Amino acid sequence: MSTNTELATIFQEMADILALQGANSFRVSAHARVARELADLSTDVRTLVERGEDLTTYEGIGDKSAKKISEYLETGHITEHETLKAAVPAGLLAILAVPGLGPKTVRLMWEQAGVTDVASLRAQMDAGVIEQLPRMGAKTVENIRTALAFLETSADRVRLGAALPVAESMLTTLRAVPGVIEAAFAGSLRRGCETIGDIDLLVATTDPDAAGEAFRTMDGVVQVLAAGATKSAVRLGSGLQVDLRVVEEASYGAALLYFTGSKQHNVRLRERAVKRGLRLNEYGLFPDDGTHDEAPQRRGIAPVAARTEEEIYAAVDLPWIPPELREDRGEFTAALPDLITCDDIRAELHAHTTASDGRLSIEALVAEAKRRGYHTIAVTDHSRSSVLANGLDVERLRAHVDAIRAVDAKTKGIRVLAGAEVDILVDGDLDYDDETLAMLDLVVASPHVSLKQDRAKATARILAAVRHPLVHIIGHPTGRFVGRREGLDLDLDVIIAAAVEHDTALEINANNVRLDLRDTHVRAAVEAGALIAINTDAHGAEHFDELRYGVLTGRRGWLTADRCVNAWPARRLHDWIAAKRP
Ligand code: DGT
Ligand code: CA
Ligand code: CA
Ligand code: ZN
């Protein structure tokens, strides 16, 4: 963890504990605010302090917080944090992390039902105690049970966006180790899965000991789980496990193929090899001489192919299959699509500014989009019902649209669209009337609240927005959070069919916490001929970097550039947008 993340975690924990204690809400939000500020800082706080910068010039950081940050930098802890932690059962914080449970409820369960951790919460629910508490009831208890079950099934998996940067930085270190020829991540991470069980790294080297040693002593390693000649495993401070395989250059491709998986893909590939009188393992593709139990590489048999994945696929009459497709979902028989890449993306169509809950001005947002070589940026702040996100009422929206159009008029080289991210209300109505929507260049319609509707209601709700003639894109269509919140239970086939009919694009929200639509939904949409938008939903400049998670998800859904509106040339995109205007 970076210093900023460590400190943000501590400040958030202090905010949580204060809330549990029923402290003054001002004090609670002050701590939470510092946590957010620290998490968003692009420069390491330690560097800022070493440069002699005054932290109190940052919004939300006051004298007291700055002192606490200094204390942490000097001593590695914050006294107030230690005192607070000692005052409440540690297990309560885990309960606070359950979606739908706020500090007031948890405090109530603690004080009146003796709940101190997840186990005692379960016991008290079973005993019917929780249901009897003020403002609770059977329905609430049912929701808590669902949330707990969901958290458990995804408990030990890590989000793609949390794992990928870690793997990349470890590879940078490994590539600098003497003897290393090639290094890559494999496994579910290379396949671009939305969550990762563990990181699998692969190195081809002439000096296995040096690579293993460098790996096991790397920054962030807190435990060495295995330390063999060709195989090591470690645990990082974050809890994430990382496996390393060390191989010879000659068998690098076979090892990469094997450890990229998926298991199901590997099984099918081995069957294919067998049909051709060949035998595939992690050392290479060998002629199958059938009679021996001993593996071919141990008997000095020369492989047919082993150095690269391409050679191996070619030897079983296949083109190289992109890792994102290696799930045994038809990749062996279908014509492989020319998958979309990050470089194809030329427009961002869902981004926020300081007008609602973003951190960039219109100008700064436009500058960032331009810096990324985009031909179009849509400014889409929240609508009035998103009160917490400072959503705009019609009057503020009108002024905002004028401001956006003024920026567009004076900016060269990029088209700035005046849009909005309009709430899809619980019954499917939109948060602005048609006259207001018609004044906008682009409308992204998204669900934000009431995400526990039954399937019929949820589907009807989103369907209404898909069919609305003034809506271009359905933003994060289910509202799920990866591993944390299931989101709307939609009949996707119905939604997709309507999206095709009404020429409405369905979004892949690229933020790695959302990745909504998910890969399988994208695949269904692409197959049905629907349009897809890949947007980052940027609230700050660094969020543009999340694009790659959205593109990976798109690739897992067999998405091509032609089906993705953000990849279209300016003219085609603008014509599609204009066609939905009176
Ligand atoms: P994860 O870590 O749960 O997100 O998923 P993966 O796919 O990264 O799985 P992992 O880390 O257990 O193993 C990495 C790859 O190694 C896996 O995708 C395929 C290959 N592999 C591992 N164990 C086996 C096995 O028993 N048979 C076959 N055919 N392949 C295996
Ligand atoms: Ca793995
Ligand atoms: Ca593994
Ligand atoms: Zn949104």
Side-chain angles (χ1 to χ4, degrees):
M1 254 194 283
S2 70
T3 314
N4 295 4
T5 320
E6 286 162 9
L7 270 164
T9 309
I10 290 175
F11 271 90
Q12 185 57 49
E13 204 166 287
M14 291 197 282
D16 289 345
I17 297 172
L18 285 166
L20 280 176
Q21 293 178 328
N24 172 323
S25 68
F26 188 77
R27 223 180 132 204
V28 175
S29 56
H31 282 80
R33 181 125 190 246
V34 177
R36 271 201 309 279
E37 192 62 36
L38 285 165
D40 287 343
L41 273 183
S42 48
T43 313
D44 195 89
V45 231
R46 198 179 288 280
T47 312
L48 292 178
V49 169
E50 278 165 8
R51 270 195 219 142
E53 282 199 37
D54 179 4
L55 292 179
T56 61
T57 58
Y58 287 83
E59 230 177 289
I61 303 186
D63 277 344
K64 278 192 199 153
S65 306
K67 281 215 184 74
K68 287 173 209 166
I69 294 171
S70 307
E71 182 189 355
Y72 182 79
L73 294 178
E74 281 160 28
T75 67
H77 68 263
I78 295 174
T79 311
E80 186 197 1
H81 179 228
E82 308 288 319
T83 313
L84 283 171
K85 269 205 315 198
V88 298
L92 278 187
L93 292 175
I95 298 182
L96 207 52
V98 176
L101 286 183
K104 273 206 188 109
T105 311
V106 176
R107 183 166 176 229
L108 184 75
M109 297 193 304
W110 176 30
E111 289 181 345
Q112 299 197 18
V115 168
T116 54
D117 53 19
V118 173
S120 52
L121 170 58
R122 273 233 169 74
Q124 294 294 55
M125 285 196 295
D126 292 346
V129 176
I130 302 293
E131 205 178 309
Q132 301 302 324
L133 293 177
R135 300 188 310 274
M136 297 296 278
K139 180 102 176 81
T140 316
V141 169
E142 204 40 54
N143 287 341
I144 298 173
R145 282 190 201 281
T146 311
L148 279 178
F150 186 66
L151 279 183
E152 256 162 27
T153 56
S154 49
D156 44 359
R157 298 189 65 81
V158 170
R159 275 180 291 109
L160 173 63
L164 189 55
V166 173
E168 284 173 336
S169 115
M170 294 185 96
L171 285 181
T172 306
T173 307
L174 287 172
R175 287 194 179 110
V177 175
V180 170
I181 301 157
E182 303 232 37
F185 51 80
S188 51
L189 185 57
R190 184 163 180 242
R191 302 198 309 279
C193 298
E194 63 187 37
T195 64
I196 307 301
D198 67 0
I199 297 179
D200 303 283
L201 300 182
L202 183 68
V203 157
T205 179
T206 54
D207 187 349
D209 291 344
E213 178 67 14
F215 172 71
R216 294 185 300 267
T217 56
M218 208 171 292
D219 263 5
V221 171
V222 294
Q223 191 187 359
V224 175
L225 303 167
T230 60
K231 210 174 139 176
S232 291
V234 298
R235 191 170 300 286
L236 304 179
S238 59
L240 193 60
Q241 184 181 325
V242 189
D243 290 349
L244 173 74
R245 307 286 172 139
V246 181
V247 301
E248 285 172 15
E249 189 189 3
S251 60
Y252 181 72
L256 186 58
L257 185 60
Y258 182 89
F259 292 112
T260 297
S262 65
K263 237 176 232 179
Q264 294 82 341
H265 179 87
N266 290 355
V267 167
R268 292 291 302 273
L269 209 54
R270 277 200 300 273
E271 288 169 2
R272 224 180 142 92
V274 167
K275 279 198 190 124
R276 286 164 178 74
L278 298 165
R279 185 164 161 184
L280 179 63
N281 66 23
E282 63 208 272
Y283 297 92
L285 181 67
F286 297 89
D288 190 0
D289 46 7
T291 53
H292 290 267
D293 288 340
E294 181 85 347
Q297 72 276 3
R298 297 223 193 94
R299 292 182 279 122
I301 309 277
V304 174
R307 172 64 186 87
T308 67
E309 289 186 333
E310 284 83 351
E311 289 168 22
I312 299 169
Y313 278 114
V316 292
D317 308 307
L318 286 170
W320 178 80
I321 299 178
E324 298 89 344
L325 303 188
R326 299 184 193 172
E327 298 289 351
D328 190 19
R329 292 179 182 156
E331 69 270 23
F332 294 104
T333 46
L336 294 183
D338 187 7
L339 296 178
I340 191 161
T341 67
C342 284
D343 289 341
D344 291 327
I345 302 294
R346 308 292 312 282
E348 171 60 63
L349 301 174
H350 181 174
H352 298 268
T353 69
T354 48
S356 62
D357 61 348
R359 281 181 281 108
L360 298 172
S361 63
I362 302 169
E363 287 85 352
L365 177 69
V366 171
E368 186 61 32
K370 206 171 159 181
R371 195 174 76 74
R372 306 220 173 212
Y374 291 170
H375 59 59
T376 302
I377 170 80
V379 183
T380 60
D381 280 296
H382 287 285
S383 60
R384 57 185 160 194
S385 287
S386 284
V387 176
L388 288 178
N390 190 23
L392 282 72
D393 60 26
V394 175
E395 200 175 318
R396 281 176 66 214
L397 178 67
R398 278 182 200 284
H400 191 42
V401 167
D402 288 345
I404 297 164
R405 297 223 160 105
V407 172
D408 184 41
K410 72 176 189 207
T411 311
K412 295 220 162 37
I414 187 165
R415 175 81 201 282
V416 186
L417 300 173
E421 182 185 16
V422 182
D423 264 61
I424 305 173
L425 304 177
V426 61
D427 53 2
D429 282 352
L430 296 183
D431 202 15
Y432 292 132
D433 59 32
D434 286 0
E435 194 191 332
T436 307
L437 294 175
M439 126 189 127
L440 299 165
D441 302 324
L442 179 99
V443 173
V444 177
S446 320
H448 285 110
V449 295
S450 305
L451 302 175
K452 285 186 188 138
Q453 287 173 307
D454 66 44
R455 187 165 235 231
K457 280 202 184 111
T459 304
R461 173 185 184 184
I462 300 303
L463 203 52
V466 171
R467 289 177 173 154
H468 196 294
L470 297 168
V471 169
H472 296 89
I473 297 171
I474 306 298
H476 46 78
T478 74
R480 68 109 172 220
F481 286 159
V482 175
R484 273 194 60 76
R485 182 169 89 188
E486 279 178 289
L488 291 171
D489 174 21
L490 297 175
D491 185 337
L492 252 298
D493 291 338
V494 171
I495 303 287
I496 289 168
V500 174
E501 187 189 338
H502 295 273
D503 216 20
T504 305
L506 301 174
E507 181 179 81
I508 300 173
N509 193 289
N511 188 301
N512 81 93
V513 172
R514 289 192 180 271
L515 293 181
D516 177 15
L517 298 178
R518 64 181 69 195
D519 56 0
T520 48
H521 295 160
V522 178
R523 178 85 182 271
V526 167
E527 267 173 14
L531 295 176
I532 296 289
I534 304 181
N535 291 320
T536 67
D537 196 354
H539 286 69
E542 73 284 4
H543 292 151
F544 280 81
D545 292 330
E546 302 259 321
L547 177 68
R548 58 179 175 161
Y549 306 121
V551 168
L552 278 169
T553 302
R555 291 169 64 88
R556 288 180 59 77
W558 294 52
L559 180 63
T560 58
D562 186 56
R563 294 279 87 205
C564 177
V565 295
N566 308 68
W568 288 353
R571 180 67 190 276
R572 183 173 177 199
L573 175 66
H574 298 159
D575 284 352
W576 171 71
I577 289 171
K580 287 196 177 238
R581 282 297 161 269

